[in-house]
Amino acid sequence: MSAPVSLQAPGPAEPAGAASYARRFADRYDTWFGRKGLTNDTVDLLARLAGSGTALELGVGTGRIALPLARRGVRVEGVDASPEMAARLAARPGGEHIPVTIGDFTRLPSDGRTVDVVFLAGGTFFELPTQEDQSRCFHHAAALIGDDGAFVLDAIVPEVLIGAEWSRGHVVPETGEDLVVLYRRFDSAAQRYHSHYAITPADGSGNVHIHVAFRYAGAGELDLMARAAGLELRERYGSWGGAPFRDGCPYHVSVYRPARRPGAPDRA
């Protein structure tokens, strides 16, 4: 069982990849993007990996994952670029027990203690705007999980989503009475995509347009970043619910662990 990690995140409070929606719409974020079924699956997988230990969420937001994970007996900590999101989390039942560091989660020195799981959910990893930022995140996660932990992230499969069928605008389900339409635009030459959310709130408060930019990487590139950080892929699923990762899956959930030394016993 690991002791909680102590973090001080240097640099600007909002890294380059953070979007202004975090400041403007923290109070509505969960309604628009917090699909219940997906949240339950995410918590189940992370609880299995963390056991009764400690989990650190990079991009903790308003606590969509952190709060139910904490109720499962996991000690949860978070890092986020948005003070508004962190304030929203702290105001929710149980949020006062989840410490949050405001800062850039690609620059996370520790005092030598470790956590059992470091994770990102909801495509947050690709909000890091450069390969350098993404590689640095792998290295810092590797340092934070020590010899026995896990680094977990979800990521789109660009080869699938770049197709016209997936790029076409569609209604986002489970958003209450508000209407949320998502459209993605890909720039394959730059390895970037842009998600545009057109939101019509049911309360008549006025239409909202949210634009979030991402720098994507294929599964092979992510695995190379992991290997450079001393990690290796141990599990890859086609969903947070544990579905097999097969051809045609639009995203994957990958579990990385410290690379095994020759002759070392296998870790679950």
Side-chain angles (χ1 to χ4, degrees):
M1 185 178 297
S2 303
V5 68
S6 175
L7 297 174
Q8 294 293 327
E14 185 167 355
S20 61
Y21 69 85
R23 296 190 302 271
R24 298 169 59 199
F25 305 112
D27 60 333
R28 296 188 177 188
Y29 183 85
D30 288 336
T31 300
W32 291 341
F33 305 115
R35 289 180 288 169
K36 185 176 180 180
L38 177 60
T39 296
N40 291 341
D41 288 343
T42 305
V43 171
D44 285 345
L45 177 57
L46 293 169
R48 173 177 69 81
L49 293 170
S52 59
T54 302
L56 173 67
E57 182 173 7
L58 307 182
V60 67
T62 60
R64 177 180 70 90
I65 303 300
L67 288 168
L69 185 59
R71 290 194 289 269
R72 295 284 291 271
V74 179
R75 295 190 303 278
V76 182
E77 303 180 19
V79 180
D80 204 274
S82 169
E84 291 80 7
M85 287 282 199
R88 179 73 172 171
L89 167 57
R92 300 176 68 180
E96 71 275 15
H97 301 303
I98 298 177
V100 177
T101 298
I102 303 300
D104 181 348
F105 61 65
T106 70
R107 303 177 184 275
L108 297 176
S110 74
D111 58 6
R113 293 180 292 171
T114 61
V115 297
D116 298 279
V117 175
V118 174
F119 71 95
L120 303 95
T124 301
F125 182 80
F126 285 165
E127 289 191 48
L128 297 173
T130 68
Q131 186 185 67
E132 180 183 5
D133 291 324
Q134 293 172 359
S135 296
R136 188 166 56 242
C137 184
F138 268 102
H139 279 84
H140 284 298
L144 289 167
I145 64 175
D147 292 332
D148 299 307
F151 178 43
V152 188
L153 59 87
D154 59 6
I156 67 161
V157 180
E159 301 92 327
V160 174
L161 288 183
I162 287 175
E165 178 182 352
W166 286 99
S167 297
R168 194 175 299 137
H170 64 276
V171 174
V172 178
E174 298 185 48
T175 53
E177 296 183 0
D178 299 334
L179 174 64
V180 180
V181 177
L182 167 62
Y183 170 74
R184 290 190 181 97
R185 181 174 60 82
F186 284 86
D187 180 352
S188 56
Q191 276 187 238
R192 297 189 182 280
Y193 71 95
H194 300 262
S195 289
H196 294 269
Y197 295 88
I199 301 168
T200 303
D203 61 9
S205 58
N207 293 340
V208 175
H209 172 233
I210 295 176
H211 168 223
V212 190
F214 301 88
R215 188 269 175 187
Y216 67 78
E221 184 180 351
L222 292 173
D223 293 350
L224 284 174
M225 291 184 198
R227 187 163 295 278
L231 302 173
E232 64 182 6
L233 180 69
R234 298 295 297 278
E235 302 170 51
R236 175 163 284 150
Y237 303 105
S239 72
W240 281 101
F245 180 60
R246 297 191 174 107
D247 184 36
C249 287
Y251 78 100
H252 61 87
V253 177
S254 295
V255 180
Y256 296 96
R257 290 188 180 273
R260 289 167 288 195
R261 298 180 298 273
D266 191 17
R267 289 184 291 270

